[in-house]
Amino acid sequence: MAGGLEPDLAALRRELSGPAALSILIALVAVAVTFLIWRFVQGRRSSRKAVLLLGLCDAGKTLLFARLLSGRYRDTQTSITDSSATYRVRRDKSTSVTLIDLPGHESLRLQFLERFKAAARAIVFVVDSVAFQREVKDVAEFLYQVLVDCTVLKNVPALLIACNKQDVTTAKSAKLIQQQLEKELNTLRVTCSAAPTSLDSSGGSAQLGKKGKDFDFSQLPMKVEFMECSARGSKGEEGDADLEGLEKWLMKVA
């Protein structure tokens, strides 16, 4: 019996020692390397559990923070330090992220961004839709500082521009805010190209968008979405906030 199998075994040995075996070995190595890279990327992503709330003073970040956590309205004041809490996704209480509300004052915001940016899985950049026309240049400058930061570009967190205070009739729409920000950011990248590090507290920055083309948000490495919301809500202190879209987005990025 063994003698009868010997020719087949010899043929199998020859086949495994030839080009076919080398192809199989290369394929196995490629699969193993791909798996290791995937595990590494997933491990890095899972270690970044923070969602940062950024924006200028009085954009409504702190009220939005409170509404997401408790659903209730509360009076707020300008923050001078960060606040953090665990936010559990409504439809899956076992899934959570850490919400971090960062100060929006000009003298503090980059300092706190520097402290927390490496942990950011996602960023919610809150815009005051009522004061936007007056503050557009300041909003664009802060957003520019975020977008050219090397750590942010390396980690590519999801980015949501939350156009807050939509309960007020004079609020600008998300579409208009996006268009105006794209124009301002396009101007900023030209004026700041001579000294890019002046707007980046970490000392490192990158080119915004694609060279030779007018800037738009689709050119960024991270996914950017615009959304209208109201932390106060249409019924004021007694009513609910209009944050359904934001809550769905948080569920998606968690």
Side-chain angles (χ1 to χ4, degrees):
M1 186 72 176
L5 291 175
E6 187 60 36
D8 293 330
L9 292 174
L12 181 60
R13 282 194 293 270
R14 286 195 300 274
E15 190 170 326
L16 290 176
S17 63
L22 181 60
S23 298
I24 293 171
L25 180 61
I26 291 173
L28 289 173
V29 170
V31 169
V33 169
T34 302
F35 176 73
L36 289 173
I37 292 173
W38 178 83
R39 285 293 300 272
F40 175 74
V41 171
Q42 287 298 109
R44 285 190 58 193
R45 185 177 185 276
S46 63
S47 67
R48 292 186 281 114
K49 295 284 287 182
V51 176
L52 308 185
L53 302 183
L54 307 179
L56 303 188
C57 284
D58 300 323
K61 300 185 301 300
T62 302
L63 179 56
L64 189 150
F65 176 78
R67 285 285 208 177
L68 286 171
L69 295 173
S70 68
R72 294 189 295 272
Y73 178 91
R74 70 177 176 87
D75 290 326
T76 62
Q77 56 187 10
T78 301
S79 303
I80 58 172
T81 188
D82 61 282
S83 298
S84 63
T86 299
Y87 173 81
R88 299 196 180 279
V89 174
R90 181 172 293 182
R91 295 183 187 175
D92 181 6
K93 295 298 184 182
S94 64
T95 302
S96 65
V97 293
T98 302
L99 284 181
I100 307 179
D101 174 27
L102 302 185
H105 193 277
E106 186 178 4
S107 64
L108 297 173
R109 57 195 182 213
L110 290 182
Q111 170 188 334
F112 280 89
L113 175 63
E114 181 69 21
R115 185 182 303 177
F116 292 104
K117 63 186 180 182
R121 170 174 293 193
I123 294 173
V124 179
F125 193 96
V126 185
V127 175
D128 183 338
S129 304
V130 178
F132 177 73
Q133 208 66 52
R134 183 175 70 252
E135 298 178 342
V136 59
K137 292 185 183 300
D138 291 335
V139 172
E141 183 174 317
F142 185 23
L143 185 57
Y144 180 92
Q145 293 165 334
V146 175
L147 295 177
V148 298
D149 184 279
C150 285
T151 300
V152 173
L153 288 171
K154 180 181 177 182
N155 292 338
V156 289
L159 175 61
L160 177 71
I161 311 295
C163 305
N164 193 24
K165 304 188 182 181
Q166 290 292 321
D167 55 292
V168 182
T169 55
T170 55
K172 304 302 180 185
S173 68
K175 184 176 181 180
L176 184 144
I177 288 173
Q178 177 176 350
Q179 292 171 344
Q180 290 295 315
L181 282 177
E182 286 176 340
K183 289 180 181 178
E184 288 295 330
L185 288 168
N186 190 59
T187 301
L188 265 175
R189 70 172 179 173
V190 174
T191 57
C192 297
S193 60
T197 57
S198 64
L199 287 177
D200 183 4
S201 64
S202 67
S205 62
Q207 171 68 36
L208 184 69
K210 294 182 179 179
K211 191 173 182 179
K213 292 187 176 182
D214 288 342
F215 173 78
D216 66 67
F217 285 98
S218 67
Q219 298 168 3
L220 295 174
M222 70 282 288
K223 185 175 182 179
V224 183
E225 297 181 56
F226 281 74
M227 189 174 294
E228 296 179 356
C229 64
S230 173
R232 183 178 176 86
S234 59
K235 296 182 179 179
E237 300 177 17
E238 304 302 321
D240 294 330
D242 180 12
L243 299 177
E244 183 179 356
L246 175 55
E247 290 173 334
K248 288 180 178 179
W249 183 83
L250 288 169
M251 181 170 58
K252 184 170 60 176
V253 302

